[in-house]
Amino acid sequence: ITVEAVRLNEDNAAAVAEWCGGELIEEIDPEHPDEMQPGINVKIAGGLARASLNMYVAKGGGVFFVLHNRPFEMLYEPAGRPAPPLESAGDARKERGFADPFDFGRMG
């Protein structure tokens, strides 16, 4: 299955919300309860799903869905590139296509 997907971060939250028709919201940062961070309420087939930082918002088969990063990266790999090993992180994932910044040019 081919899906379009983007990993949510603080820099791309507004663009991702616009892309998926979701609602950009502020949520409590679980690591710093006195601080807020962006999140998105995404309309999915069954209602709404919350996308928090580092989660993937994806579109496949004409519907949007939200997955945590590890399950997403276990199920999918970047088109034309092999999936990174699960134990890799940071730059290794970026080099292989995961956690790319939101790029309107790749949306087709």
Side-chain angles (χ1 to χ4, degrees), residues 28-62:
I28 296 172
D29 182 337
E31 293 181 20
H32 304 96
D34 56 332
E35 296 179 17
M36 302 299 282
Q37 65 184 20
I40 301 173
N41 287 332
V42 180
K43 296 173 191 169
I44 61 170
L48 286 178
R50 171 73 53 86
S52 297
L53 290 183
N54 298 314
M55 293 176 71
Y56 282 90
V57 177
K59 181 181 181 183

PDB file of all heavy atoms in Angstrom, residues 28-62:
ATOM      1  N   ILE A  28      -0.946  19.816  26.320  1.00  0.00           N
ATOM      2  CA  ILE A  28       0.078  19.835  27.365  1.00  0.00           C
ATOM      3  C   ILE A  28       1.240  18.948  26.951  1.00  0.00           C
ATOM      4  O   ILE A  28       1.047  17.817  26.510  1.00  0.00           O
ATOM      5  CB  ILE A  28      -0.515  19.370  28.715  1.00  0.00           C
ATOM      6  CG1 ILE A  28      -1.587  20.361  29.174  1.00  0.00           C
ATOM      7  CG2 ILE A  28       0.571  19.208  29.762  1.00  0.00           C
ATOM      8  CD1 ILE A  28      -2.365  19.895  30.375  1.00  0.00           C
ATOM      9  N   ASP A  29       2.446  19.466  27.092  1.00  0.00           N
ATOM     10  CA  ASP A  29       3.655  18.695  26.816  1.00  0.00           C
ATOM     11  C   ASP A  29       3.813  17.679  27.941  1.00  0.00           C
ATOM     12  O   ASP A  29       3.956  18.049  29.105  1.00  0.00           O
ATOM     13  CB  ASP A  29       4.856  19.643  26.773  1.00  0.00           C
ATOM     14  CG  ASP A  29       6.162  18.946  26.445  1.00  0.00           C
ATOM     15  OD1 ASP A  29       6.269  17.727  26.656  1.00  0.00           O
ATOM     16  OD2 ASP A  29       7.084  19.641  25.983  1.00  0.00           O
ATOM     17  N   PRO A  30       3.772  16.365  27.634  1.00  0.00           N
ATOM     18  CA  PRO A  30       3.837  15.363  28.697  1.00  0.00           C
ATOM     19  C   PRO A  30       5.151  15.373  29.480  1.00  0.00           C
ATOM     20  O   PRO A  30       5.189  14.975  30.637  1.00  0.00           O
ATOM     21  CB  PRO A  30       3.643  14.031  27.969  1.00  0.00           C
ATOM     22  CG  PRO A  30       3.874  14.315  26.541  1.00  0.00           C
ATOM     23  CD  PRO A  30       3.623  15.769  26.325  1.00  0.00           C
ATOM     24  N   GLU A  31       6.230  15.858  28.863  1.00  0.00           N
ATOM     25  CA  GLU A  31       7.513  15.913  29.561  1.00  0.00           C
ATOM     26  C   GLU A  31       7.676  17.186  30.388  1.00  0.00           C
ATOM     27  O   GLU A  31       8.496  17.243  31.286  1.00  0.00           O
ATOM     28  CB  GLU A  31       8.660  15.781  28.568  1.00  0.00           C
ATOM     29  CG  GLU A  31       8.696  14.406  27.921  1.00  0.00           C
ATOM     30  CD  GLU A  31       9.845  14.263  26.943  1.00  0.00           C
ATOM     31  OE1 GLU A  31      10.813  15.052  27.021  1.00  0.00           O
ATOM     32  OE2 GLU A  31       9.766  13.357  26.106  1.00  0.00           O
ATOM     33  N   HIS A  32       6.895  18.213  30.044  1.00  0.00           N
ATOM     34  CA  HIS A  32       6.944  19.496  30.751  1.00  0.00           C
ATOM     35  C   HIS A  32       5.503  19.977  30.939  1.00  0.00           C
ATOM     36  O   HIS A  32       5.023  20.800  30.157  1.00  0.00           O
ATOM     37  CB  HIS A  32       7.759  20.526  29.964  1.00  0.00           C
ATOM     38  CG  HIS A  32       9.138  20.072  29.647  1.00  0.00           C
ATOM     39  ND1 HIS A  32       9.474  19.500  28.437  1.00  0.00           N
ATOM     40  CD2 HIS A  32      10.268  20.070  30.396  1.00  0.00           C
ATOM     41  CE1 HIS A  32      10.749  19.183  28.445  1.00  0.00           C
ATOM     42  NE2 HIS A  32      11.262  19.518  29.623  1.00  0.00           N
ATOM     43  N   PRO A  33       4.814  19.471  31.943  1.00  0.00           N
ATOM     44  CA  PRO A  33       3.383  19.756  32.108  1.00  0.00           C
ATOM     45  C   PRO A  33       3.006  21.229  32.199  1.00  0.00           C
ATOM     46  O   PRO A  33       1.845  21.569  32.000  1.00  0.00           O
ATOM     47  CB  PRO A  33       3.022  19.025  33.400  1.00  0.00           C
ATOM     48  CG  PRO A  33       4.059  17.979  33.547  1.00  0.00           C
ATOM     49  CD  PRO A  33       5.308  18.549  32.940  1.00  0.00           C
ATOM     50  N   ASP A  34       3.965  22.098  32.460  1.00  0.00           N
ATOM     51  CA  ASP A  34       3.651  23.520  32.529  1.00  0.00           C
ATOM     52  C   ASP A  34       3.816  24.201  31.163  1.00  0.00           C
ATOM     53  O   ASP A  34       3.612  25.408  31.046  1.00  0.00           O
ATOM     54  CB  ASP A  34       4.519  24.216  33.579  1.00  0.00           C
ATOM     55  CG  ASP A  34       6.004  24.021  33.349  1.00  0.00           C
ATOM     56  OD1 ASP A  34       6.388  22.987  32.759  1.00  0.00           O
ATOM     57  OD2 ASP A  34       6.789  24.894  33.748  1.00  0.00           O
ATOM     58  N   GLU A  35       4.169  23.426  30.112  1.00  0.00           N
ATOM     59  CA  GLU A  35       4.343  23.977  28.768  1.00  0.00           C
ATOM     60  C   GLU A  35       3.338  23.353  27.804  1.00  0.00           C
ATOM     61  O   GLU A  35       2.827  22.264  28.018  1.00  0.00           O
ATOM     62  CB  GLU A  35       5.763  23.705  28.265  1.00  0.00           C
ATOM     63  CG  GLU A  35       6.829  24.400  29.089  1.00  0.00           C
ATOM     64  CD  GLU A  35       8.232  24.108  28.594  1.00  0.00           C
ATOM     65  OE1 GLU A  35       8.385  23.647  27.433  1.00  0.00           O
ATOM     66  OE2 GLU A  35       9.172  24.326  29.354  1.00  0.00           O
ATOM     67  N   MET A  36       3.081  24.067  26.723  1.00  0.00           N
ATOM     68  CA  MET A  36       2.148  23.592  25.699  1.00  0.00           C
ATOM     69  C   MET A  36       2.923  23.250  24.426  1.00  0.00           C
ATOM     70  O   MET A  36       4.009  23.779  24.196  1.00  0.00           O
ATOM     71  CB  MET A  36       1.100  24.659  25.393  1.00  0.00           C
ATOM     72  CG  MET A  36       0.280  25.096  26.607  1.00  0.00           C
ATOM     73  SD  MET A  36      -0.655  23.762  27.351  1.00  0.00           S
ATOM     74  CE  MET A  36      -2.015  23.659  26.203  1.00  0.00           C
ATOM     75  N   GLN A  37       2.343  22.366  23.643  1.00  0.00           N
ATOM     76  CA  GLN A  37       2.925  22.013  22.354  1.00  0.00           C
ATOM     77  C   GLN A  37       1.798  21.824  21.340  1.00  0.00           C
ATOM     78  O   GLN A  37       0.651  21.607  21.716  1.00  0.00           O
ATOM     79  CB  GLN A  37       3.758  20.739  22.460  1.00  0.00           C
ATOM     80  CG  GLN A  37       2.946  19.498  22.798  1.00  0.00           C
ATOM     81  CD  GLN A  37       3.810  18.265  22.996  1.00  0.00           C
ATOM     82  OE1 GLN A  37       5.002  18.370  23.248  1.00  0.00           O
ATOM     83  NE2 GLN A  37       3.205  17.104  22.867  1.00  0.00           N
ATOM     84  N   PRO A  38       2.119  21.915  20.033  1.00  0.00           N
ATOM     85  CA  PRO A  38       1.052  21.766  19.043  1.00  0.00           C
ATOM     86  C   PRO A  38       0.624  20.309  18.883  1.00  0.00           C
ATOM     87  O   PRO A  38       1.405  19.384  19.086  1.00  0.00           O
ATOM     88  CB  PRO A  38       1.692  22.287  17.757  1.00  0.00           C
ATOM     89  CG  PRO A  38       3.153  22.101  17.940  1.00  0.00           C
ATOM     90  CD  PRO A  38       3.391  22.250  19.422  1.00  0.00           C
ATOM     91  N   GLY A  39      -0.627  20.145  18.524  1.00  0.00           N
ATOM     92  CA  GLY A  39      -1.197  18.856  18.173  1.00  0.00           C
ATOM     93  C   GLY A  39      -2.260  19.106  17.126  1.00  0.00           C
ATOM     94  O   GLY A  39      -2.584  20.258  16.810  1.00  0.00           O
ATOM     95  N   ILE A  40      -2.799  18.040  16.558  1.00  0.00           N
ATOM     96  CA  ILE A  40      -3.824  18.184  15.529  1.00  0.00           C
ATOM     97  C   ILE A  40      -4.939  17.184  15.791  1.00  0.00           C
ATOM     98  O   ILE A  40      -4.679  16.001  16.048  1.00  0.00           O
ATOM     99  CB  ILE A  40      -3.256  17.930  14.123  1.00  0.00           C
ATOM    100  CG1 ILE A  40      -2.115  18.898  13.810  1.00  0.00           C
ATOM    101  CG2 ILE A  40      -4.351  18.036  13.062  1.00  0.00           C
ATOM    102  CD1 ILE A  40      -1.398  18.594  12.509  1.00  0.00           C
ATOM    103  N   ASN A  41      -6.176  17.649  15.739  1.00  0.00           N
ATOM    104  CA  ASN A  41      -7.334  16.757  15.721  1.00  0.00           C
ATOM    105  C   ASN A  41      -7.606  16.445  14.252  1.00  0.00           C
ATOM    106  O   ASN A  41      -7.926  17.339  13.473  1.00  0.00           O
ATOM    107  CB  ASN A  41      -8.553  17.410  16.367  1.00  0.00           C
ATOM    108  CG  ASN A  41      -8.423  17.496  17.867  1.00  0.00           C
ATOM    109  OD1 ASN A  41      -7.748  16.681  18.493  1.00  0.00           O
ATOM    110  ND2 ASN A  41      -9.055  18.488  18.455  1.00  0.00           N
ATOM    111  N   VAL A  42      -7.414  15.181  13.874  1.00  0.00           N
ATOM    112  CA  VAL A  42      -7.513  14.749  12.482  1.00  0.00           C
ATOM    113  C   VAL A  42      -8.821  14.002  12.268  1.00  0.00           C
ATOM    114  O   VAL A  42      -9.144  13.084  13.036  1.00  0.00           O
ATOM    115  CB  VAL A  42      -6.326  13.832  12.112  1.00  0.00           C
ATOM    116  CG1 VAL A  42      -6.417  13.375  10.667  1.00  0.00           C
ATOM    117  CG2 VAL A  42      -4.999  14.539  12.375  1.00  0.00           C
ATOM    118  N   LYS A  43      -9.551  14.364  11.225  1.00  0.00           N
ATOM    119  CA  LYS A  43     -10.777  13.646  10.874  1.00  0.00           C
ATOM    120  C   LYS A  43     -10.389  12.337  10.199  1.00  0.00           C
ATOM    121  O   LYS A  43      -9.731  12.339   9.158  1.00  0.00           O
ATOM    122  CB  LYS A  43     -11.637  14.481   9.923  1.00  0.00           C
ATOM    123  CG  LYS A  43     -12.134  15.762  10.527  1.00  0.00           C
ATOM    124  CD  LYS A  43     -12.834  16.613   9.490  1.00  0.00           C
ATOM    125  CE  LYS A  43     -13.075  18.002  10.060  1.00  0.00           C
ATOM    126  NZ  LYS A  43     -13.507  18.955   9.044  1.00  0.00           N
ATOM    127  N   ILE A  44     -10.797  11.221  10.822  1.00  0.00           N
ATOM    128  CA  ILE A  44     -10.520   9.898  10.268  1.00  0.00           C
ATOM    129  C   ILE A  44     -11.852   9.203   9.992  1.00  0.00           C
ATOM    130  O   ILE A  44     -12.911   9.725  10.352  1.00  0.00           O
ATOM    131  CB  ILE A  44      -9.650   9.054  11.222  1.00  0.00           C
ATOM    132  CG1 ILE A  44     -10.356   8.830  12.556  1.00  0.00           C
ATOM    133  CG2 ILE A  44      -8.285   9.725  11.438  1.00  0.00           C
ATOM    134  CD1 ILE A  44      -9.690   7.818  13.461  1.00  0.00           C
ATOM    135  N   ALA A  45     -11.801   8.030   9.404  1.00  0.00           N
ATOM    136  CA  ALA A  45     -13.029   7.316   9.035  1.00  0.00           C
ATOM    137  C   ALA A  45     -13.948   7.088  10.235  1.00  0.00           C
ATOM    138  O   ALA A  45     -15.162   7.162  10.107  1.00  0.00           O
ATOM    139  CB  ALA A  45     -12.677   5.984   8.377  1.00  0.00           C
ATOM    140  N   GLY A  46     -13.387   6.848  11.406  1.00  0.00           N
ATOM    141  CA  GLY A  46     -14.202   6.556  12.579  1.00  0.00           C
ATOM    142  C   GLY A  46     -14.504   7.741  13.467  1.00  0.00           C
ATOM    143  O   GLY A  46     -15.047   7.579  14.546  1.00  0.00           O
ATOM    144  N   GLY A  47     -14.138   8.953  13.053  1.00  0.00           N
ATOM    145  CA  GLY A  47     -14.398  10.135  13.876  1.00  0.00           C
ATOM    146  C   GLY A  47     -13.200  11.066  13.897  1.00  0.00           C
ATOM    147  O   GLY A  47     -12.799  11.597  12.879  1.00  0.00           O
ATOM    148  N   LEU A  48     -12.589  11.236  15.077  1.00  0.00           N
ATOM    149  CA  LEU A  48     -11.416  12.092  15.238  1.00  0.00           C
ATOM    150  C   LEU A  48     -10.291  11.300  15.881  1.00  0.00           C
ATOM    151  O   LEU A  48     -10.527  10.428  16.708  1.00  0.00           O
ATOM    152  CB  LEU A  48     -11.720  13.292  16.133  1.00  0.00           C
ATOM    153  CG  LEU A  48     -12.565  14.420  15.565  1.00  0.00           C
ATOM    154  CD1 LEU A  48     -12.790  15.490  16.631  1.00  0.00           C
ATOM    155  CD2 LEU A  48     -11.895  15.046  14.352  1.00  0.00           C
ATOM    156  N   ALA A  49      -9.057  11.648  15.508  1.00  0.00           N
ATOM    157  CA  ALA A  49      -7.870  11.090  16.151  1.00  0.00           C
ATOM    158  C   ALA A  49      -6.933  12.244  16.458  1.00  0.00           C
ATOM    159  O   ALA A  49      -6.861  13.216  15.704  1.00  0.00           O
ATOM    160  CB  ALA A  49      -7.181  10.084  15.239  1.00  0.00           C
ATOM    161  N   ARG A  50      -6.238  12.155  17.545  1.00  0.00           N
ATOM    162  CA  ARG A  50      -5.281  13.190  17.938  1.00  0.00           C
ATOM    163  C   ARG A  50      -3.894  12.808  17.452  1.00  0.00           C
ATOM    164  O   ARG A  50      -3.405  11.716  17.726  1.00  0.00           O
ATOM    165  CB  ARG A  50      -5.272  13.331  19.451  1.00  0.00           C
ATOM    166  CG  ARG A  50      -4.170  14.213  20.048  1.00  0.00           C
ATOM    167  CD  ARG A  50      -4.366  15.703  19.821  1.00  0.00           C
ATOM    168  NE  ARG A  50      -5.649  16.177  20.229  1.00  0.00           N
ATOM    169  CZ  ARG A  50      -5.987  16.568  21.471  1.00  0.00           C
ATOM    170  NH1 ARG A  50      -5.106  16.532  22.435  1.00  0.00           N
ATOM    171  NH2 ARG A  50      -7.198  16.993  21.726  1.00  0.00           N
ATOM    172  N   ALA A  51      -3.262  13.717  16.741  1.00  0.00           N
ATOM    173  CA  ALA A  51      -1.867  13.565  16.345  1.00  0.00           C
ATOM    174  C   ALA A  51      -1.045  14.485  17.234  1.00  0.00           C
ATOM    175  O   ALA A  51      -1.248  15.696  17.233  1.00  0.00           O
ATOM    176  CB  ALA A  51      -1.675  13.923  14.879  1.00  0.00           C
ATOM    177  N   SER A  52      -0.155  13.906  18.001  1.00  0.00           N
ATOM    178  CA  SER A  52       0.754  14.664  18.848  1.00  0.00           C
ATOM    179  C   SER A  52       2.125  14.695  18.179  1.00  0.00           C
ATOM    180  O   SER A  52       2.376  13.968  17.210  1.00  0.00           O
ATOM    181  CB  SER A  52       0.851  14.013  20.225  1.00  0.00           C
ATOM    182  OG  SER A  52      -0.405  14.048  20.862  1.00  0.00           O
ATOM    183  N   LEU A  53       3.030  15.512  18.718  1.00  0.00           N
ATOM    184  CA  LEU A  53       4.364  15.625  18.144  1.00  0.00           C
ATOM    185  C   LEU A  53       5.010  14.255  17.975  1.00  0.00           C
ATOM    186  O   LEU A  53       4.857  13.368  18.821  1.00  0.00           O
ATOM    187  CB  LEU A  53       5.254  16.499  19.025  1.00  0.00           C
ATOM    188  CG  LEU A  53       4.914  17.980  19.060  1.00  0.00           C
ATOM    189  CD1 LEU A  53       5.933  18.732  19.913  1.00  0.00           C
ATOM    190  CD2 LEU A  53       4.843  18.592  17.673  1.00  0.00           C
ATOM    191  N   ASN A  54       5.704  14.090  16.870  1.00  0.00           N
ATOM    192  CA  ASN A  54       6.432  12.881  16.488  1.00  0.00           C
ATOM    193  C   ASN A  54       5.550  11.735  16.006  1.00  0.00           C
ATOM    194  O   ASN A  54       6.052  10.670  15.696  1.00  0.00           O
ATOM    195  CB  ASN A  54       7.373  12.411  17.599  1.00  0.00           C
ATOM    196  CG  ASN A  54       8.427  13.446  17.890  1.00  0.00           C
ATOM    197  OD1 ASN A  54       9.031  13.991  16.967  1.00  0.00           O
ATOM    198  ND2 ASN A  54       8.643  13.754  19.148  1.00  0.00           N
ATOM    199  N   MET A  55       4.239  11.953  15.926  1.00  0.00           N
ATOM    200  CA  MET A  55       3.354  10.947  15.358  1.00  0.00           C
ATOM    201  C   MET A  55       3.228  11.228  13.860  1.00  0.00           C
ATOM    202  O   MET A  55       3.493  12.326  13.397  1.00  0.00           O
ATOM    203  CB  MET A  55       1.988  10.979  16.027  1.00  0.00           C
ATOM    204  CG  MET A  55       2.021  10.556  17.488  1.00  0.00           C
ATOM    205  SD  MET A  55       0.424  10.714  18.304  1.00  0.00           S
ATOM    206  CE  MET A  55      -0.489   9.379  17.534  1.00  0.00           C
ATOM    207  N   TYR A  56       2.821  10.205  13.118  1.00  0.00           N
ATOM    208  CA  TYR A  56       2.613  10.351  11.676  1.00  0.00           C
ATOM    209  C   TYR A  56       1.147  10.620  11.374  1.00  0.00           C
ATOM    210  O   TYR A  56       0.265   9.967  11.921  1.00  0.00           O
ATOM    211  CB  TYR A  56       3.035   9.088  10.931  1.00  0.00           C
ATOM    212  CG  TYR A  56       4.529   8.974  10.756  1.00  0.00           C
ATOM    213  CD1 TYR A  56       5.314   8.334  11.703  1.00  0.00           C
ATOM    214  CD2 TYR A  56       5.152   9.511   9.637  1.00  0.00           C
ATOM    215  CE1 TYR A  56       6.683   8.224  11.535  1.00  0.00           C
ATOM    216  CE2 TYR A  56       6.523   9.411   9.465  1.00  0.00           C
ATOM    217  CZ  TYR A  56       7.277   8.758  10.413  1.00  0.00           C
ATOM    218  OH  TYR A  56       8.639   8.664  10.246  1.00  0.00           O
ATOM    219  N   VAL A  57       0.914  11.571  10.487  1.00  0.00           N
ATOM    220  CA  VAL A  57      -0.399  11.783   9.884  1.00  0.00           C
ATOM    221  C   VAL A  57      -0.235  11.257   8.466  1.00  0.00           C
ATOM    222  O   VAL A  57       0.694  11.651   7.754  1.00  0.00           O
ATOM    223  CB  VAL A  57      -0.801  13.272   9.877  1.00  0.00           C
ATOM    224  CG1 VAL A  57      -2.136  13.462   9.167  1.00  0.00           C
ATOM    225  CG2 VAL A  57      -0.859  13.812  11.299  1.00  0.00           C
ATOM    226  N   ALA A  58      -1.102  10.351   8.070  1.00  0.00           N
ATOM    227  CA  ALA A  58      -0.957   9.702   6.772  1.00  0.00           C
ATOM    228  C   ALA A  58      -2.286   9.647   6.046  1.00  0.00           C
ATOM    229  O   ALA A  58      -3.355   9.710   6.657  1.00  0.00           O
ATOM    230  CB  ALA A  58      -0.404   8.292   6.966  1.00  0.00           C
ATOM    231  N   LYS A  59      -2.186   9.521   4.721  1.00  0.00           N
ATOM    232  CA  LYS A  59      -3.369   9.405   3.884  1.00  0.00           C
ATOM    233  C   LYS A  59      -3.160   8.208   2.970  1.00  0.00           C
ATOM    234  O   LYS A  59      -2.161   8.117   2.265  1.00  0.00           O
ATOM    235  CB  LYS A  59      -3.574  10.666   3.050  1.00  0.00           C
ATOM    236  CG  LYS A  59      -4.802  10.626   2.163  1.00  0.00           C
ATOM    237  CD  LYS A  59      -4.920  11.908   1.364  1.00  0.00           C
ATOM    238  CE  LYS A  59      -6.153  11.889   0.488  1.00  0.00           C
ATOM    239  NZ  LYS A  59      -6.219  13.115  -0.333  1.00  0.00           N
ATOM    240  N   GLY A  60      -4.093   7.291   3.026  1.00  0.00           N
ATOM    241  CA  GLY A  60      -4.043   6.109   2.180  1.00  0.00           C
ATOM    242  C   GLY A  60      -5.449   5.678   1.835  1.00  0.00           C
ATOM    243  O   GLY A  60      -6.340   5.717   2.683  1.00  0.00           O
ATOM    244  N   GLY A  61      -5.675   5.304   0.603  1.00  0.00           N
ATOM    245  CA  GLY A  61      -7.011   4.897   0.198  1.00  0.00           C
ATOM    246  C   GLY A  61      -8.041   5.996   0.330  1.00  0.00           C
ATOM    247  O   GLY A  61      -9.217   5.725   0.548  1.00  0.00           O
ATOM    248  N   GLY A  62      -7.601   7.251   0.246  1.00  0.00           N
ATOM    249  CA  GLY A  62      -8.526   8.376   0.311  1.00  0.00           C
ATOM    250  C   GLY A  62      -8.940   8.790   1.710  1.00  0.00           C
ATOM    251  O   GLY A  62      -9.765   9.683   1.864  1.00  0.00           O
TER     252      GLY A  62
END
